[in-house]
Amino acid sequence: MQASALPASIETTAAYLAQLADKVLKPSTINRRAAAIGYVHRAKGYEPPTNSEPVKAVLRGIRRRIGAAVNRKGPATAVAIARMVRRIPDNLQGKRDRALLLLGFAAALRRSELVALDVADLERMPEGIIVHIRRSKTDQEGEGHQVAVPRGSKTGSAPPAWRPVRSSSHSERADL
């Protein structure tokens, strides 16, 4: 029996998702595929079968049967960051990597926020910098927000490598 892809029936969609669970795919993978089915249907002007109660019931059953525990990575600790910073070579690329690592740590940025930054998103201030986050996981509307990152102190307990924003005595520019 040949099933129609668009619009897919509720029964076909539920059977497809159940088949994915039988292949022992992770619930997050199955949810992502269900979301893709819904997206394509909406984009083509069809009611997504994933909005139906039978398909939602299948997804709930999959999460119950396989489990839906998410294996989240913990945040980098100060000890881990210190270990990483010590291993970065002292060259131009190393300075860039150190700046990104320390800026991300100091501003508590997500990886996606850090890689989305442009130089224009950094506003220099006498006390440090203001990081303008244009969009983040928790800001889907794209309103953006700002994070202040202090320059750091030469007299503080942190070593100079821990100052994510510092003035360079050799240049007018600040190392980030």
Side-chain angles (χ1 to χ4, degrees), residues 47-119:
E47 176 66 24
T50 52
N51 287 353
S52 71
E53 189 51 41
V55 172
K56 289 179 182 180
V58 167
L59 288 170
R60 283 193 303 269
I62 289 169
R63 284 191 296 271
R64 247 190 331 272
R65 190 176 93 200
I66 299 174
V70 178
N71 184 15
R72 295 180 194 259
K73 300 296 180 195
T77 63
V79 171
I81 295 290
R83 219 176 302 130
M84 289 182 238
V85 167
R86 279 195 300 271
R87 292 179 175 250
I88 296 175
D90 192 22
N91 57 26
L92 187 59
Q93 290 171 330
K95 288 179 182 182
R96 176 207 58 204
D97 294 347
R98 186 178 297 107
L100 286 169
L101 188 61
L102 292 173
L103 178 63
F105 184 72
L109 299 177
R110 291 181 170 86
R111 288 178 295 184
S112 59
E113 294 168 342
L114 188 59
V115 299
L117 286 177
D118 289 328
V119 174

Side-chain angles (χ1 to χ4, degrees), residues 108-138:
L109 299 177
R110 291 181 170 86
R111 288 178 295 184
S112 59
E113 294 168 342
L114 188 59
V115 299
L117 286 177
D118 289 328
V119 174
D121 297 328
L122 306 175
E123 181 181 348
R124 297 178 194 280
M125 306 293 283
E127 304 83 18
I129 61 172
I130 304 291
V131 181
H132 298 273
I133 308 296
R134 287 177 272 140
R135 171 177 244 118
S136 73
K137 181 179 175 181
T138 57

Side-chain angles (χ1 to χ4, degrees), residues 18-29:
Q19 181 185 20
L20 294 177
D22 291 341
K23 291 181 181 180
V24 195
L25 293 179
K26 292 183 178 182
S28 60
T29 301

